[in-house]
Amino acid sequence: MDDTVGKIFLKHEYNRDGDSYRSPWSNQYFPQADSSFFPSAPLLQLEQKANTMFATYVKLYYDYAQSSVYFVDTSEPGFNACFLVKKDIEDEKDIKKGCWDAVHVVSCNLKKGSQAAYRVISTVMITIDAETPAVGSFTISGSCAKQTNEAVVLPEGFGTKVDSDFFHLK
């Protein structure tokens, strides 16, 4: 929980520094930590816009799930990002407890002149504990991962910067 803004955020390696986790909403670590692991100003602006957009998507698609988006700078021109979704289910029909976790890792490389090279790796993990009169108690777990690559022509004059016009989120 980000106490400064009253919003929940998800923990992941993309927002972790030691035992503390950075909130995408306030850019602060919880519990408080002396950290230098923060996205650059343009990337933070992109991260905040992505969190707002992705939260709307998650609300429409998953109904009551939680989401967080984290961006990190890379040594090459570009960035890495992680889009997270967590949906917990409890006491719904025959399901006693369940969880849907989705992790979408995006790598954007801008060093190819007039192109942005994107790689997206998506993993979905599902676990369901259920009980039915016909079968009894059982647990089902599974995961699926997919990867795709795509190159996109950048707008004229874009160069190798992470532009503040949110091109990458369009």
Side-chain angles (χ1 to χ4, degrees):
M1 171 63 81
D2 183 333
D3 299 330
T4 59
V5 294
K7 289 187 175 185
I8 292 173
F9 64 94
L10 299 174
K11 296 178 181 179
H12 192 269
E13 289 302 311
Y14 265 74
N15 68 322
R16 180 177 179 222
D17 190 0
D19 293 331
S20 296
Y21 294 86
R22 185 176 63 82
S23 166
W25 307 112
S26 66
N27 202 31
Q28 295 180 13
Y29 278 88
F30 296 89
Q32 188 174 5
D34 292 329
S35 179
S36 59
F37 181 67
F38 293 96
S40 61
L43 212 53
L44 178 61
Q45 187 179 13
L46 193 61
E47 179 184 89
Q48 290 169 340
K49 179 71 171 178
N51 269 286
T52 301
M53 292 172 68
F54 197 58
T56 301
Y57 162 77
V58 167
K59 170 97 173 104
L60 293 170
Y61 188 81
Y62 296 92
D63 194 22
Y64 55 85
Q66 296 294 324
S67 67
S68 292
V69 179
Y70 302 103
F71 279 68
V72 294
D73 292 282
T74 59
S75 58
E76 301 289 329
F79 59 86
N80 290 334
C82 184
F83 292 71
L84 305 169
V85 177
K86 183 169 191 68
K87 181 172 182 166
D88 290 320
I89 302 167
E90 199 163 329
D91 296 325
E92 263 187 44
K93 298 183 184 179
D94 295 331
I95 298 173
K96 294 191 293 185
K97 189 170 132 182
C99 183
W100 168 291
D101 288 309
V103 179
H104 310 284
V105 177
V106 178
S107 175
C108 176
N109 185 323
L110 297 173
K111 71 178 184 177
K112 293 189 177 190
S114 64
Q115 287 189 346
Y118 296 98
R119 181 179 59 215
V120 180
I121 302 169
S122 294
T123 305
V124 176
M125 298 157 283
I126 299 172
T127 301
I128 296 173
D129 292 328
E131 186 171 354
T132 66
V135 178
S137 291
F138 60 95
T139 299
I140 297 175
S141 297
S143 66
C144 180
K146 293 192 177 200
Q147 176 179 323
T148 189
N149 296 292
E150 186 173 340
V152 176
V153 176
L154 296 170
E156 185 78 25
F158 194 86
T160 60
K161 62 185 178 182
V162 176
D163 206 342
S164 60
D165 75 351
F166 308 119
F167 167 80
H168 302 285
L169 300 177
K170 292 179 183 177

